């Protein structure tokens, strides 16, 4: 599997948002591959399954992540929120109370 | 089924957030029951299935909604965000630019 770096970054972000909705199997195949950078063969031997089974779990996992995003749009919303919060910070330099609230919102994204 | 009004309100909110993740069947049973206030028997005859099948679909739907919330916490986050935004509005009465940004964030919740 050859994966463009932009896709990799996107999957990382989607996994942060929706990883909890995947099954244990999907999560471990995904994490070994996308977070720890193991090869399919290495993961197959770590999980004691075929290389093909690993490949399928990873594909199912990324398909689910994209499906959740298409239905809930949390990534789009989060990126929009972060950009609005940046603008707000620039506008409220003189108010500590406002900056504190903005920081509270930032922690939630 | 006797449902406390607080549960009803909670299910409405959860449905707004996660309804898109339910199946077509779960959605229609849920909507007839919780949004349109039909009885189980009325829904059974509308969908041409048994009263028991309707009861099960509604229970499965609400169980899924609660499961999604336990994993993604969007309701908790949304309510927290709304309350922070209220406080920010009070603090930024004199800045139109800030109020506009706050309104943009409000639209996203």
């Amino acid at each position: 599997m050859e994966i463009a770096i932009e896709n990799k970054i996107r999957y990382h972000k989607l996994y942060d948002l929706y990883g909890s909705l995947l099954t244990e199997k999907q999560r471990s195949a995904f994490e070994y591959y996308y977070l720890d950078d193991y090869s399919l063969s290495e993961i197959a031997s770590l999980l004691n399954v075929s290389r093909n089974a690993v490949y399928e779990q990873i594909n199912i996992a990324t398909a689910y992540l994209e499906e959740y995003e298409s239905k809930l749009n949390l990534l789009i919303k989060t990126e929009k929120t972060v950009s609005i919060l940046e603008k707000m910070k620039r506008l409220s330099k003189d108010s500590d109370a406002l900056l504190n609230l903005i920081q509270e919102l930032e922690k939630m994204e």
Side-chain angles (χ1 to χ4, degrees), chain A:
Chain A
M1 279 205 279
E2 196 59 59
I3 294 140
I5 185 75
E6 306 81 50
N7 281 343
K8 229 174 157 175
I9 294 170
R10 178 175 171 81
Y11 289 148
H12 274 226
K13 290 178 184 171
L14 291 177
Y15 188 74
D16 278 345
L17 292 166
Y18 306 113
S20 63
L21 299 181
L22 300 178
T23 65
E24 194 59 41
K25 267 189 187 173
Q26 291 157 4
R27 269 204 301 273
S28 56
F30 182 96
E31 289 188 7
Y32 279 132
Y33 192 74
Y34 282 106
L35 310 185
D36 306 330
D37 262 323
Y38 284 112
S39 73
L40 291 179
S41 309
E42 286 169 326
I43 303 168
S45 100
L46 275 165
L47 297 178
N48 206 21
V49 295
S50 72
R51 196 179 168 287
N52 203 47
V54 174
Y55 180 77
E56 269 188 21
Q57 286 303 326
I58 294 172
N59 277 340
I60 293 170
T62 53
Y64 268 117
L65 294 177
E66 290 288 2
E67 195 189 324
Y68 291 131
E69 175 61 11
S70 78
K71 288 176 172 170
L72 299 180
N73 300 307
L74 295 183
L75 181 56
I76 290 181
K77 284 185 190 167
T78 302
E79 296 189 331
K80 216 169 160 181
T81 302
V82 168
S83 116
I84 294 174
L85 292 173
E86 278 309 310
K87 288 183 207 158
M88 290 173 84
K89 269 200 284 192
R90 285 196 290 277
L91 284 171
S92 31
K93 265 183 206 130
D94 45 347
S95 162
D96 281 349
L98 261 173
L99 283 172
N100 284 341
L101 288 168
I102 292 168
Q103 275 157 9
E104 266 194 73
L105 286 173
E106 282 178 325
K107 270 185 228 147
M108 291 169 58
E109 298 308 325

